[in-house]
């Protein structure tokens, strides 16, 4: 399965992936690695480190005019995926033309800073590296592209991430990082269950050295947790902190750790690889824009913005249904409601009395003497939902529309709509003997 259609919208490779044949015509060093496919096309063996390294260096040259030196025993960056991260950073800082950024652990390629600098000629990057080999090669890569004015590489000799790097008298627009991913060599060699056994084995080589891929204090989750802890000391120096994550399970743990900090997340898609990323900020004036959020979150939001409709049989009049809602449903579900007009309402729910389990509890509660009933106090509870409701009549048929406005239960309009669909026939049955439906 290819995730290319979900690459960042500005990623130049989204609709125009590298053409290996054309690249090899111009950069002949790629030619020996081309493999003819039965359909006449060509591909590369992504398990061959030399092939992957050559593809990266010729792509960097062709598309970014970058002369890149890479080592076969160090991480070889995949440029299309790196662009997803850089474009996301651009979105986070609202495409500022002048910006100062930080990259923690630049690797021998120094790829984040080189791409960021080429794509944004007025950005400045401060990057760190703890491994002396990577540091020396990163400096070389900056110098051979004459980007010393834009990129400053710092060698770290302690395990501190920010101390000795971030200048407390300065302000930085963003911080980025691709942390060491694994906890130990077993995980890096795929011997522990980090990879779902159902998933096919990796069809792409990982050339990362242990120093690059292993953080023996708990892998990427603990590395990013350390970043979060340290970021609390630099709240006014860095506007937006970010980190990439290699596993979706890591994202959940990091999000939990960021509970009290304003944050968002996204995913980076390319080929059949997905990566995740988190961003957090201590700037109370800052709001993460919609385009910076994950597809999952955006899809949920879109779903919530579509009103749920409940259609009633034509034999039930507008006033009958309106009475049913105001005198039964709104009370039964303990909704705090206000009329917006004779046919529209807005209501809040602080407890879920519409799902089966909750209904059972409600009935049990109703059977208790009043002194023992559970009381709900909206001021102490979180709001499950605020919903706008409208009852329309068209050619004698009434339809109720429910639109989720906000709250913690994004599916509430759908659930309440379903509840009304289930309960209305029962109500009608119990009322046909005593009331007219007009
Ligand atoms: C997964 S690699 C990422 C390299 C590069 N940024 C990339 O995305 O291709 C992680 C890098 O972080 C470096 N690193 C690990 N701990 C560090 C620390 N405390 N300070 C700076 N760099 C560190 C490693 O040496 C390694 O180069």
């Amino acid at each position: 399965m290819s995730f290319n259609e979900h690459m960042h919208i500005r990623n130049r490779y989204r609709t125009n992936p590298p053409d290996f044949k054309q690249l090899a015509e111009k950069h002949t060093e790629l030619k020996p690695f081309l493999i003819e496919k039965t359909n006449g096309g060509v591909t590369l063996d992504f398990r061959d480190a030399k092939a992957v390294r050559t593809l990266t260096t010729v792509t960097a040259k062709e598309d970014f005019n970058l002369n890149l030196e890479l080592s076969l025993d160090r991480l070889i960056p995949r440029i299309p995926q790196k662009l997803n991260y850089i474009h996301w950073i651009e979105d986070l800082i609202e495409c500022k033309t002048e910006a100062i950024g930080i990259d923690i652990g630049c690797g021998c390629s120094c790829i984040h800073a080189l791409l960021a600098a080429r794509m944004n000629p007025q950005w400045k990057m401060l990057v760190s590296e703890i491994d002396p080999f990577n540091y020396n090669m990163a400096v070389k890569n900056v110098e051979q592209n004459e980007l010393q004015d834009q990129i400053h590489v710092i060698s770290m000799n302690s395990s501190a991430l920010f101390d000795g790097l971030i200048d407390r008298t300065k302000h930085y627009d963003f911080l980025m990082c691709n942390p060491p991913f694994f906890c130990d060599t077993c995980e890096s060699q795929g011997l522990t269950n980090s990879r779902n056994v159902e998933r096919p084995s990796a069809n792409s080589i990982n050339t990362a050295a242990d120093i690059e891929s292993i953080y023996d204090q708990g892998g990427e989750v603990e590395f990013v947790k350390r970043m979060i802890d340290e970021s609390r000391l630099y709240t006014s120096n860095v506007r937006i902190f970010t980190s990439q994550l290699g596993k979706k399970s890591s994202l959940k743990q990091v999000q939990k750790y960021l509970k009290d900090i304003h944050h968002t997340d996204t995913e980076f898609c390319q080929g059949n690889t997905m990566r995740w990323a988190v961003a957090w900020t201590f700037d109370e004036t800052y709001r993460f824009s919609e385009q910076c959020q994950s597809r999952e979150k955006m899809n949920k939001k879109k779903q919530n913005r579509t009103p749920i409709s409940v259609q009633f049989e034509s034999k039930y009049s507008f006033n009958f249904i309106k009475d049913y809602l105001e005198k039964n449903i709104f009370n039964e579900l303990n909704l705090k409601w206000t009329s917006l007009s004779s046919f529209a309402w807005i209501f809040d729910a602080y407890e879920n009395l519409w799902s089966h389990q909750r209904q059972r509890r409600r009935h049990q509660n109703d059977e208790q003497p009043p002194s023992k009933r559970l009381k709900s106090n909206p001021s102490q509870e979180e709001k499950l939902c605020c919903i706008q409701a409208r009852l329309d009549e068209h050619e004698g048929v009434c339809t109720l529309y429910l639109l989720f406005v906000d709250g913690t239960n994004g599916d509430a309009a759908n659930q309440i709509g379903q509840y009304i669909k289930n309960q209305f026939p029962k109500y009608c049955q119990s009322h046909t003997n005593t009331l007219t439906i007009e």
Side-chain angles (χ1 to χ4, degrees):
M1 182 170 71
S2 170
F3 298 124
N4 279 0
E5 63 176 302
H6 301 304
M7 286 171 114
H8 190 282
I9 189 91
R10 292 195 301 280
N11 192 318
R12 59 187 295 153
Y13 303 113
R14 193 168 75 101
T15 51
N16 190 23
D19 181 331
F20 302 147
K21 219 176 199 166
Q22 257 182 25
L23 265 178
E25 287 304 317
K26 206 162 162 191
H27 305 271
T28 49
E29 63 269 38
L30 188 61
K31 260 196 182 149
F33 302 108
L34 296 189
I35 300 168
E36 298 263 349
K37 291 202 287 191
T38 44
N39 65 4
V42 293
T43 187
L44 294 177
D45 180 0
F46 285 90
R47 286 161 305 184
D48 175 351
K50 284 187 181 155
V52 176
R53 178 175 69 172
T54 310
L55 177 65
T56 297
T57 52
V58 301
T59 309
K61 182 71 193 161
E62 177 63 20
D63 293 335
F64 299 94
N65 190 25
L66 286 171
N67 297 309
L68 213 52
E69 190 168 322
L70 297 171
S71 172
L72 284 177
D73 57 7
R74 290 292 191 279
L75 200 62
I76 300 173
R78 311 296 200 268
I79 290 181
Q81 189 66 302
K82 295 292 165 195
L83 291 191
N84 284 327
Y85 197 173
I86 310 278
H87 287 308
W88 185 57
I89 293 282
E90 289 169 349
D91 291 342
L92 285 168
I93 64 164
E94 291 136 349
C95 292
K96 265 178 93 172
T97 44
E98 280 182 42
I100 308 180
I102 298 171
D103 181 30
I104 303 291
C106 63
C108 69
S109 61
C110 200
I111 193 71
H112 291 154
L114 291 180
L115 289 173
R118 269 288 188 264
M119 290 156 69
N120 299 277
Q122 293 184 64
W123 283 16
K124 299 244 187 290
M125 294 290 300
L126 176 67
V127 308
S128 70
E129 181 50 59
I130 200 167
D131 175 39
F133 179 90
N134 278 355
Y135 166 77
N136 287 326
M137 198 175 258
V139 169
K140 196 168 172 202
N141 274 323
V142 171
E143 285 173 358
Q144 68 192 16
N145 288 288
E146 294 176 3
L147 283 167
Q148 302 91 308
D149 285 351
Q150 273 182 270
I151 304 172
H152 188 190
V153 189
I154 305 274
S155 169
M156 304 295 284
N157 44 24
S158 84
S159 65
L161 298 174
F162 302 160
D163 191 24
L165 176 71
I166 300 180
D167 181 340
R168 284 182 186 279
T169 64
K170 292 212 170 109
H171 181 82
Y172 306 84
D173 297 278
F174 66 89
L175 179 145
M176 63 194 302
C177 177
N178 176 18
F181 350 97
F182 302 122
C183 304
D184 50 39
T185 36
C186 285
E187 198 192 352
S188 74
Q189 289 162 10
L191 303 177
T192 47
N193 58 354
S194 71
R195 245 189 128 75
N196 183 331
V197 282
E198 304 273 321
R199 274 171 65 185
S201 62
N203 55 4
S204 176
I205 185 116
N206 176 11
T207 52
D210 284 356
I211 177 90
E212 296 179 302
S213 61
I214 296 174
Y215 178 57
D216 63 7
Q217 315 285 311
E220 63 180 4
V221 169
E222 291 307 317
F223 195 94
V224 178
K225 280 185 180 175
R226 241 184 76 198
M227 285 175 68
I228 297 167
D229 289 342
E230 291 193 22
S231 71
R232 291 180 189 276
L233 305 172
Y234 297 90
T235 55
S236 54
N237 299 102
V238 179
R239 192 165 194 218
I240 300 159
F241 294 88
T242 72
S243 180
Q244 186 179 303
L245 292 163
K247 288 184 281 180
K248 194 168 187 185
S249 58
S250 305
L251 175 67
K252 297 234 164 73
Q253 297 175 64
V254 169
Q255 279 172 324
K256 214 165 151 195
Y257 204 69
L258 282 167
K259 204 168 68 217
D260 64 328
I261 306 175
H262 186 40
H263 67 277
T264 193
D265 62 278
T266 193
E267 64 270 304
F268 302 142
C269 308
Q270 188 255 322
N272 51 15
T273 308
M274 250 179 109
R275 296 285 177 258
W276 293 265
V278 282
W280 67 99
T281 182
F282 298 93
D283 179 347
E284 285 171 8
T285 65
Y286 183 83
R287 291 284 162 272
F288 291 107
S289 70
E290 289 199 344
Q291 81 217 55
C292 295
Q293 297 173 14
S294 66
R295 266 185 305 130
E296 214 172 287
K297 251 188 211 155
M298 291 313 297
N299 288 344
K300 264 196 194 144
K301 274 195 183 167
K302 269 189 211 146
Q303 275 169 14
N304 295 341
R305 278 195 207 120
T306 315
I308 300 296
S309 61
V310 180
Q311 205 175 64
F312 298 89
E313 283 180 65
S314 58
K315 65 181 175 186
Y316 300 111
S317 72
F318 181 93
N319 285 334
F320 179 79
I321 299 164
K322 184 179 167 185
D323 262 17
Y324 167 67
L325 294 173
E326 290 188 344
K327 295 187 181 146
N328 289 271
I329 287 294
F330 293 173
N331 283 335
E332 211 165 283
L333 299 184
N334 199 12
L335 306 175
K336 314 290 163 224
W337 62 280
T338 324
S339 300
L340 297 174
S341 71
S342 59
F343 56 86
W345 305 265
I346 187 155
F347 58 77
D348 294 335
Y350 290 87
E351 51 184 334
N352 178 342
L353 293 177
W354 50 83
S355 68
H356 290 308
Q357 231 180 347
R358 301 301 178 117
Q359 281 172 47
R360 228 177 289 131
R361 236 181 54 196
R362 172 166 51 84
H363 289 309
Q364 279 166 4
N365 200 31
D366 287 348
E367 282 157 17
Q368 297 282 335
S371 60
K372 292 209 170 148
R373 287 186 195 172
L374 297 166
K375 295 267 176 357
S376 66
N377 178 357
S379 64
Q380 288 171 5
E381 290 178 59
E382 60 179 5
K383 185 160 72 181
L384 291 182
C385 60
C386 169
I387 287 176
Q388 270 185 30
R390 198 185 73 222
L391 186 62
D392 272 3
E393 187 177 3
H394 182 64
E395 295 180 349
V397 176
C398 291
T399 308
L400 175 70
Y401 294 98
L402 299 170
L403 179 71
F404 176 83
V405 179
D406 64 29
T408 53
N409 181 352
D411 195 39
N414 181 34
Q415 293 167 3
I416 293 175
Q418 201 51 52
Y419 179 82
I420 295 172
K421 276 184 199 162
N422 295 340
Q423 299 302 313
F424 186 65
K426 294 179 200 163
Y427 170 83
C428 295
Q429 225 170 21
S430 65
H431 282 68
T432 39
N433 298 333
T434 51
L435 291 171
T436 81
I437 53 176
E438 296 296 322

